[in-house]
Amino acid sequence: MSTTQSERLRGLLEPLVSAADLDLEEIEVSRAGKRRMLRIIVDSDEGATLDACAELSRVISQRLDETDAMGEDEYVLEVSSPGADRPLTEHRHYVRATGRLVKLQLHESGELVARILTVDDEGLDLEVPGVKGRRPTARRVTFAEIAKARVEIEFNRKDKKEEEA
């Protein structure tokens, strides 16, 4: 998608997404045969529910029909939340991942898998799991040290709500 189309779509859609109390994470236009696919990724601190995505899809579809932002060609609109393995790129992504296990690729010292304990403006306080019966250790990583980051999927970790019950 051209930068101007991307900027135009973002300018058109961001107010609609914000009005739904969501963050516009990504806009992607791709080809699917003769049609184009317009994929809009939204999120919030509480997550984007299926109902919120469906309602936002109706609102966005109506707005796009009122404008020529997508041109005359057919397209398919998809509004969804980010996948569980989405890269952490914004400060708010790290805040939302607090308590989760993440894999960090560090510029200088390789790879690190740790749980995010707290997030501030400079970086992360982490708990690095102990190996072979050793206790977990605390570690501080600044955002400047991080090359890439992703949430690690945990199948056996209890949800906070389950732990409180």
Side-chain angles (χ1 to χ4, degrees):
M1 168 168 63
S2 71
T3 304
T4 54
Q5 184 183 24
S6 176
E7 290 168 358
R8 185 172 178 199
L9 284 170
R10 184 167 287 279
L12 182 69
L13 303 179
E14 199 143 32
L16 302 175
V17 174
S18 294
D21 292 325
L22 296 167
D23 295 319
L24 180 58
E25 295 291 345
E26 186 178 336
I27 297 174
E28 177 187 319
V29 177
S30 59
R31 283 259 170 227
K34 290 184 178 182
R35 292 189 190 163
R36 290 176 296 159
M37 169 74 85
L38 173 58
R39 181 172 290 124
I40 299 172
I41 307 296
V42 296
D43 202 4
S44 76
D45 290 344
E46 296 78 35
T49 66
L50 185 58
D51 289 340
C53 288
E55 178 57 31
L56 185 58
S57 180
R58 285 189 284 278
V59 170
I60 288 174
S61 179
Q62 182 179 352
R63 178 61 58 89
L64 290 172
D65 289 347
E66 296 169 356
T67 69
D68 67 342
M70 289 299 294
E72 297 297 318
D73 294 341
E74 291 183 25
Y75 66 92
V76 175
L77 173 63
E78 178 185 300
V79 177
S80 66
S81 61
D85 63 344
R86 166 208 44 205
L88 304 176
T89 57
E90 302 284 336
H91 184 271
R92 67 177 178 265
H93 299 164
Y94 291 96
V95 171
R96 291 174 185 161
T98 299
R100 307 278 309 268
L101 196 64
V102 295
K103 182 186 280 187
L104 304 171
Q105 184 66 45
L106 304 176
H107 290 291
E108 300 294 324
S109 55
E111 196 172 88
L112 172 66
V113 176
R115 189 166 311 283
I116 298 176
L117 299 176
T118 61
V119 180
D120 60 32
D121 291 340
E122 285 79 41
L124 315 170
D125 289 316
L126 304 168
E127 178 184 77
V128 181
V131 179
K132 296 183 182 178
R134 293 188 179 154
R135 292 184 169 272
T137 57
R139 179 155 177 197
R140 174 79 178 166
V141 174
T142 64
F143 290 118
E145 295 175 77
I146 302 171
K148 294 180 187 176
R150 283 190 191 279
V151 170
E152 287 285 280
I153 307 298
E154 294 180 90
F155 294 106
N156 59 352
R157 178 160 169 86
K158 288 185 178 179
D159 188 18
K160 289 179 191 175
K161 294 174 188 168
E162 291 176 28
E163 290 175 356
E164 294 169 359

